Amino acid sequence: MAGASVRRAASHGIDAPVVLLGFGFGVLTCLLTTTITDGPVPLVGAGLLALCALVHLHTTLRGKFAVWEELLDELRLRGDEDVLDLGCGRGSVLLAAARRLEAGGTAVGVDPWRSLDQAGHDIDTTKENALAEGVADRVQLRTGELTGLPLLDDSFDLVLSGVAITALAGADARALAIREAVRVLRPGGRIVLAEVGHARQCAAALTELGMAEVRGRGLGWRMWWSGPWAPTTLVTARKP
């Protein structure tokens, strides 16, 4: 149905805008330094920081969409599944999953809706995006913390998350979010998590909770957050 060439009608904003502001401040500082310092070092620094910002922008505006289209294609959904997106934001992953659903399938997004995580991050914007993509009839949005999901046990066939668990503060919070994801997953269901910096912890937590087929793999340069030092790792598992 949908593929990596899908043209998006929705507006998804920029992930971690504070990071871009930091890079911008760094570039400006380096350029100002050139007025009082001789030599190429400040210009080189400004160029490197600008490159990091461009890599981040590519990931948030293009790369992550192409990667998630491919990942969802690999899952070969039937179309009647109940899918949960943890930390759905403006719906980049949620709506891509919803496009693959048919009658009987639902895509539920849960988010605490904090604007620091993504520009224009609010539930009304995500509703508008679902309408723009033509999937509003298959999408449901909930307000809630990932560490305490407002959802019943064994409710979903597939749980997705695009770098949302990474954003939680502290190992305990991330472990609790993993536990909640497993709780709402039906037996035989799958978890697919994109993580930055905490993939090993997520995989260990899934293993400890008795999940089967726990695996991890890198998602490549299209999901570098500023550079190769901040890659995205995919963690997958199945509930026995």
Side-chain angles (χ1 to χ4, degrees):
M1 185 187 299
S5 62
V6 167
R7 183 175 180 181
R8 299 182 303 277
S11 172
H12 290 283
I14 295 173
D15 293 295
V18 172
V19 172
L20 283 178
L21 287 174
F23 283 132
F25 180 78
V27 170
L28 180 60
T29 300
C30 288
L31 292 177
L32 289 174
T33 302
T34 63
T35 64
I36 58 174
T37 303
D38 293 328
V41 174
L43 284 176
V44 171
L48 289 174
L49 289 172
L51 180 60
C52 291
L54 287 173
V55 171
H56 183 96
L57 272 174
H58 179 271
T59 296
T60 190
L61 297 177
R62 187 178 182 88
K64 70 176 184 179
F65 294 97
V67 170
W68 271 106
E69 292 290 346
E70 293 168 7
L71 293 175
L72 290 167
D73 283 345
E74 289 174 9
L75 292 173
R76 299 184 183 278
L77 300 179
R78 299 183 309 272
D80 62 349
E81 291 90 348
D82 293 312
V83 180
L84 172 64
D85 181 13
L86 300 174
C88 64
R90 295 175 67 158
S92 57
V93 177
L94 179 70
L95 304 186
R99 287 197 299 270
R100 288 161 170 80
L101 301 179
E102 300 171 355
T106 58
V108 177
V110 175
D111 203 292
W113 312 110
R114 284 189 280 268
S115 59
L116 281 177
D117 300 327
Q118 190 177 50
H121 191 150
D122 64 74
I123 193 169
D124 290 331
T125 299
T126 308
K127 288 178 181 178
E128 292 171 4
N129 282 345
L131 286 169
E133 294 284 345
V135 296
D137 60 325
R138 284 159 272 169
V139 170
Q140 299 175 15
L141 300 175
R142 306 283 181 84
T143 299
E145 298 291 340
L146 305 193
T147 53
L149 296 173
L151 302 165
L152 298 176
D153 295 356
D154 305 329
S155 301
F156 295 92
D157 303 293
L158 175 65
V159 174
L160 307 169
S161 182
V163 201
I165 293 176
T166 290
L168 296 176
D172 290 344
R174 291 188 292 271
L176 186 54
I178 293 291
R179 182 176 294 276
E180 282 290 279
V182 171
R183 176 182 67 80
V184 301
L185 190 66
R186 292 179 180 130
R190 293 173 287 179
I191 283 181
V192 178
L193 310 174
E195 286 300 309
V196 179
H198 305 294
R200 288 186 180 180
Q201 181 197 348
C202 291
L206 289 166
T207 300
E208 184 177 339
L209 290 167
M211 294 289 283
E213 302 171 17
V214 179
R215 300 188 178 98
R217 64 181 170 97
L219 290 177
W221 69 271
R222 291 177 298 174
M223 287 192 72
W224 286 354
W225 298 94
S226 77
W229 48 83
T232 305
T233 300
L234 190 74
V235 179
T236 60
R238 180 181 58 82
K239 190 172 184 177

